[in-house]
């Protein structure tokens, strides 16, 4: 565990900012010590890293919280966007360096030779805007936002517990093949729950979620921690079998 001061020193994020992230529900400490100190584990640092990546994409803190708390959040997708953004930023900086070096070597003597193209950030801005739109305008995200309106933090906690209850339903089935009728019925239960409480869970979305369940990230860890080792991977295989049975390549 790390204190808020230690996290600040390690990450460069101010203590004040970390306190603010806690107050708005964006990054809560793992626990608070009897003396009132915020304590953060490795999972918190992973989440903080992702927050900072979204900040580079110029998302607001409110947008970041809503995206990362959405069941459809895909960290790999966020990383792909960040990688592309950094490449564009590097290209922009390289162009500015070449311009500055050229001016230093040859000077600027004639107005017609003045070059302002390296200052143009249109390409970078367009990518940022498309990245923002890709998270905020999908039908699933909009439906999720509509359904979560009016829910309290306690409501969200109860829904998360109910979701884990559904994953626990896979436990008695772990010795059965993924295509087993009872296993597939549990996948249907999971899909219906998602559609009712978050967004219409299309086969494509369900497959994506299934890959996240077994992807080894925080979702995998949370499922296994709550339901037992191997449950996340089993659920992932069961979802993949559900998709395969329905002819999804």
């Amino acid at each position: 565990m790390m204190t808020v001061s230690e996290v600040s020193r390690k990450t460069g994020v101010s203590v004040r900012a970390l306190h603010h992230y806690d107050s708005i529900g964006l990054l809560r400490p793992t626990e608070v010590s009897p003396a009132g100190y915020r304590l953060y584990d490795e999972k918190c640092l992973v989440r903080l890293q992702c927050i900072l990546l979204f900040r580079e994409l110029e998302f607001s803190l409110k947008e970041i919280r809503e995206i990362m708390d959405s069941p459809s959040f895909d960290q790999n997708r966020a990383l792909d966007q960040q990688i592309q953004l950094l490449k564009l930023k590097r290209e922009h900086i390289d162009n500015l360096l070449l311009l500055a070096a050229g001016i230093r070597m040859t000077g600027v003597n004639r107005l017609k030779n003045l070059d302002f193209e390296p200052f143009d950030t249109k390409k970078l801005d367009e990518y940022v805007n498309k990245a923002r739109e890709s998270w905020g305008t999908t039908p699933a995200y909009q439906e999720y936002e509509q359904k979560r309106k009016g829910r309290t933090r306690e409501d969200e906690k109860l829904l998360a517990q109910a979701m884990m209850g559904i994953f626990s339903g896979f436990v008695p089935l772990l010795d059965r093949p993924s295509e087993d009728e009872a296993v597939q019925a549990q996948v249907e239960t999971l899909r219906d729950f998602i559609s009712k409480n978050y967004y219409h869970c299309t086969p494509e979305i369900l497959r994506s979620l299934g890959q996240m369940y077994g992807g080894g990230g925080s979702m995998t860890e949370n499922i296994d921690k709550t339901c037992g080792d191997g449950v996340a991977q089993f659920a992932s295989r069961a979802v993949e079998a559900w998709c395969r049975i329905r002819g999804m390549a």
Side-chain angles (χ1 to χ4, degrees):
M1 291 284 190
M2 299 175 66
T3 65
V4 68
S5 296
E6 290 170 334
V7 172
S8 178
R9 286 196 296 271
K10 182 179 180 65
T11 65
V13 179
S14 70
V15 171
R16 181 178 180 182
L18 291 170
H19 286 176
H20 180 58
Y21 291 174
D22 181 12
S23 69
I24 64 175
L26 179 59
L27 181 70
R28 296 198 177 281
T30 307
E31 62 182 71
V32 178
S33 72
Y37 293 106
R38 294 172 171 86
L39 300 175
Y40 299 81
D41 64 6
E42 185 176 346
K43 289 182 181 179
C44 287
L45 295 184
V46 171
R47 183 175 173 91
L48 176 58
Q49 189 177 62
C50 195
I51 291 169
L52 297 179
L53 293 179
F54 269 115
R55 290 296 283 164
E56 287 294 324
L57 284 169
E58 300 182 12
F59 281 78
S60 70
L61 296 179
K62 180 177 181 293
E63 289 171 328
I64 296 171
R65 187 192 66 203
E66 291 172 349
I67 290 170
M68 294 186 66
D69 288 347
S70 167
S72 63
F73 174 62
D74 185 342
Q75 186 167 359
N76 288 331
R77 179 183 167 200
L79 286 171
D80 287 342
Q81 289 178 337
Q82 177 63 15
I83 290 168
Q84 182 61 27
L85 175 65
L86 289 173
K87 287 179 179 179
L88 291 172
K89 284 190 172 183
R90 181 176 62 188
E91 179 183 331
H92 177 63
I93 292 173
D94 285 345
N95 289 336
L96 290 174
L97 285 171
L98 286 173
L99 174 65
I103 293 173
R104 182 67 180 83
M105 290 178 61
T106 64
V108 180
N109 299 318
R110 307 181 68 177
L111 183 60
K112 67 178 182 180
N113 292 328
L114 292 179
D115 184 8
F116 288 91
E117 186 175 348
F119 296 99
D120 187 359
T121 61
K122 183 186 296 183
K123 187 177 179 181
L124 184 61
D125 294 340
E126 285 179 353
Y127 181 79
V128 170
N129 289 333
K130 286 181 180 178
R132 290 168 63 96
E133 290 171 2
S134 73
W135 289 101
T137 62
T138 62
Y141 183 81
Q142 290 177 341
E143 184 178 358
Y144 166 73
E145 280 296 288
Q146 187 64 34
K147 287 185 175 181
R148 76 189 292 269
K149 283 182 179 178
R151 286 180 188 165
T152 64
R153 189 172 298 168
E154 184 62 24
D155 292 334
E156 295 290 343
K157 182 178 179 181
L158 290 174
L159 279 177
Q161 291 173 348
M163 175 80 87
M164 287 301 165
I166 293 174
F167 282 113
S168 294
F170 286 108
V171 175
L173 310 172
L174 291 176
D175 60 345
R176 303 193 187 191
S178 300
E179 296 80 8
D180 181 86
E181 185 177 343
V183 175
Q184 289 301 300
Q186 192 64 16
V187 173
E188 288 285 0
T189 298
L190 175 63
R191 184 187 181 209
D192 290 344
F193 179 86
I194 294 170
S195 292
K196 178 181 178 181
N197 296 286
Y198 297 108
Y199 41 73
H200 176 54
C201 189
T202 65
E204 292 76 17
I205 289 178
L206 182 62
R207 166 172 269 178
S208 178
L209 289 172
Q211 292 170 348
M212 291 171 63
Y213 299 152
S218 59
M219 189 172 289
T220 303
E221 294 174 359
N222 289 337
I223 294 171
D224 284 354
K225 182 179 179 181
T226 303
C227 307
D229 290 342
V231 174
Q233 286 289 347
F234 183 82
S236 179
R237 292 194 299 271
V239 169
E240 186 59 31
W242 185 95
C243 295
R244 189 169 58 251
I245 291 169
R246 284 152 185 80
M248 295 179 65

